[in-house]
């Protein structure tokens, strides 16, 4: 029976010292310990969150870079294509221009040649007519140097007139 | 590994000391003219489990080696008395009218005052007994451990745990997260956490100290009904003061129960009110019974050695091998029980507090 009968002295000391223990531990141990533990947990959580944030930020950045790179490549292609087109068009235009220019020069040259030739022909005609008059004069002078020949000629003309 | 080897060494020391004591007892009885005192296992066990006014360590030859403790008494006849328990000469002599009651008395083992008519009167007794010393020792140890740890935490929460801190931190976290938060809930647990942590570590350290057979340990503190009574009382008072309106309404008028169980004869309210008291009562008895039983079993195995030794010395040695093996096993088992009982007490306290705090919104809807 003594075993299950609480002893007053022990009850007294237990209530007293356990209350004291609770107060002391609560004030000097649990408070700082629990505060530190929750502070640590908070900081871990915060660190994890910021790491996650940084990761997503990195991914975003990476995706942005990729996009930028892609855009840059597209831009380059476009520029190169444009340049090629420009070059082609310039070359084509130049060719056309050249052909036109050449044609024009040819035309002009042809015209000049024709004109020159005509002038030359005209000059030649006048020179030839002068020469032929001089030759005819000389021949006539030769032929009509004696009387007999003059008379034959006149006779000849007369004969021709008769035929007509 | 370390823990079990420590336990083993401690058990070995106990075995040795018990052996020496009983052997010495044999010598003394042979030396004196008294008839040989028979080994009394139940007396040995009960003396160990009960409280004492002195801390008996060993008996060498016919001299007792013990630590005398202060006796503090108040008697209505003779007023205040403070004196050393050594004045009783191990319970054999009386001192200024006080003596330790013998086997036949109903105050067996307690200090009584002899009245004029020769009857024994129990004075107002707040002596520093063996259990009180053990209690103080455990409190000092707890304060030392946890203020040391707290100092480290104050240095900065981001420092990694070191030494004893890394032993205690997982336990504190376990109690906080898996016991208190799980039972009471996230938002209100902080109020009850200091009490529950104190209870857990108090029970744990005293359970473990009870397993250590040398001086500050070895007392059967958590196996003493007064200690478990106070612990259960604290939980009980906390439950009473933190009980919500719903909790008390539930006791008086439990919802979802047919009215005829409540109205002419208040059967359900009676059961519910009983339940309020049985919860802390069960807490008290569970811890007391578990720890006391552990001590009884270990002591029983030791007693076997001497019971057989009385028949034949060789039988005693033979049985000692088995007894020691069983005691080591029991020691390890008790180490487990020390943790389990501390955990169970804390868990149930937290659960009861959590139940008292609960708000039953769904009951009003359930009423048809």
């Amino acid at each position: 029976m003594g075993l299950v009968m609480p002893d007053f002295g022990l009850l007294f000391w237990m209530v007293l010292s356990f209350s004291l223990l609770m107060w002391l531990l609560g004030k000097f141990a649990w408070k700082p310990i629990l505060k530190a533990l929750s502070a640590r947990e908070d900081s871990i959580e915060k660190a994890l969150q910021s790491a996650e944030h940084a990761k997503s930020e990195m991914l975003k950045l990476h995706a942005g870079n990729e996009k930028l790179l892609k855009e840059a490549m597209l831009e380059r292609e476009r520029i190169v294509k444009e340049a090629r087109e420009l070059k082609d068009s310039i070359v084509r235009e130049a060719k056309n221009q050249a052909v036109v220019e050449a044609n024009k020069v040819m035309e002009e040259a042809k015209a000049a040649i024709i004109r020159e030739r005509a002038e030359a022909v005209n000059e030649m005609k006048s020179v030839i007519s002068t020469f032929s008059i001089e030759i005819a004069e000389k021949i006539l002078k030769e032929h009509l140097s004696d009387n007999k020949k003059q008379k034959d000629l006149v006779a000849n003309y007369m004969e021709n007139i008769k035929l007509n | 590994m370390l823990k079990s080897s420590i336990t083993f060494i401690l058990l070995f020391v106990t075995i040795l000391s018990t052996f020496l004591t009983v052997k010495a007892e044999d010598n003394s009885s042979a030396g004196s003219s008294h008839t040989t005192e028979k080994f009394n296992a139940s007396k040995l066990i009960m003396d160990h489990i009960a409280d004492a006014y002195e801390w008996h360590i060993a008996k060498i030859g016919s001299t007792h080696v013990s630590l005398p403790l202060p006796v503090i008494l108040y008697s209505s006849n003779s007023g205040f008395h403070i004196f050393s328990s050594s004045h009783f000469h191990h319970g054999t002599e009386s001192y200024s009218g006080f003596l330790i009651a013998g086997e036949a008395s109903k105050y067996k083992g307690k200090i009584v005052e002899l009245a004029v008519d020769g009857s024994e009167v129990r004075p107002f007794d707040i002596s520093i007994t063996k259990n009180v010393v053990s209690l103080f020792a455990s409190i000092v140890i707890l304060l030392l451990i946890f203020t040391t740890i707290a100092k480290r935490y104050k240095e900065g929460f981001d420092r990694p745990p070191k030494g004893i801190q890394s032993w205690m931190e997982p336990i504190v976290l376990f109690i906080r997260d898996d016991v208190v938060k799980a039972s009471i809930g996230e938002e209100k647990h902080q109020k009850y956490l200091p009490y529950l942590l104190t209870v857990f570590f108090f029970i744990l350290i005293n359970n473990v100290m009870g397993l250590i057979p040398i001086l500050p340990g070895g007392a059967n503190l958590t196996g003493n009904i007064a200690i478990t009574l106070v612990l259960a009382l604290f939980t009980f008072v906390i439950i009473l003061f933190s009980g919500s309106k719903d909790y008390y309404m539930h006791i008086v008028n439990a919802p979802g129960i047919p009215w005829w169980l409540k109205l002419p004869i208040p059967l359900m309210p009676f059961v519910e009110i009983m339940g309020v008291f049985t919860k802390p009562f069960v807490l008290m008895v569970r811890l007391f019974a578990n720890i006391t039983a552990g001590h009884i079993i270990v002591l029983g195995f030791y007693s076997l050695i001497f019971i057989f030794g009385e028949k034949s010395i060789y039988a005693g040695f033979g049985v000692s091998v088995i007894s020691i093996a069983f005691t080591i096993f029991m020691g390890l088992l008790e180490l487990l029980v020390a943790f389990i009982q501390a955990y169970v007490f804390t868990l149930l306290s937290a659960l009861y507090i959590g139940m008292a705090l609960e708000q039953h919104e769904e009951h009003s809807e359930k009423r048809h």
Side-chain angles (χ1 to χ4, degrees), chain A residues 26 41 53 55 76-77 97 99 110 114 134 146:
Chain A
E41 268 156 30
H53 187 74
K55 204 174 137 192
R76 194 197 64 179
E77 246 164 58
Q97 195 96 20
V99 168
K110 264 183 200 162
I114 289 164
E134 274 176 15
D146 61 88

Side-chain angles (χ1 to χ4, degrees), chain A residues 108-122:
Chain A
E108 268 174 19
K110 264 183 200 162
I113 288 167
I114 289 164
R115 203 168 53 240
E116 293 284 309
R117 212 174 67 178
E119 262 173 35
V121 167
N122 285 347

Side-chain angles (χ1 to χ4, degrees), chain B residues 25-37 62:
Chain B
E25 216 164 328
D26 280 350
N27 286 346
S28 70
S29 51
S32 64
S33 56
H34 291 293
T35 52
T36 311
E37 204 184 321
S62 55

Side-chain angles (χ1 to χ4, degrees), chain A residues 38 42 47 50 52 68 70 93 111 116 119 125 141 144 148-149 151 154:
Chain A
S38 62
D42 282 353
S50 70
E52 194 69 24
L68 221 66
K70 224 174 186 176
E93 209 150 290
E116 293 284 309
E119 262 173 35
K125 273 181 186 165
K141 266 180 185 167
L144 299 173
K148 196 201 168 219
K149 273 183 186 175
K151 279 173 184 168
V154 175

Side-chain angles (χ1 to χ4, degrees), chain A residues 147-158:
Chain A
N147 283 350
K148 196 201 168 219
K149 273 183 186 175
Q150 280 173 8
K151 279 173 184 168
D152 283 348
L153 191 63
V154 175
N156 213 0
Y157 279 147
M158 288 319 228

Side-chain angles (χ1 to χ4, degrees), chain B residues 55 130 134 137 208-220:
Chain B
W55 199 304
K130 185 181 173 185
S134 184
V208 173
M209 274 172 71
L211 297 177
I212 299 170
I214 38 180
L215 196 63
N220 182 26

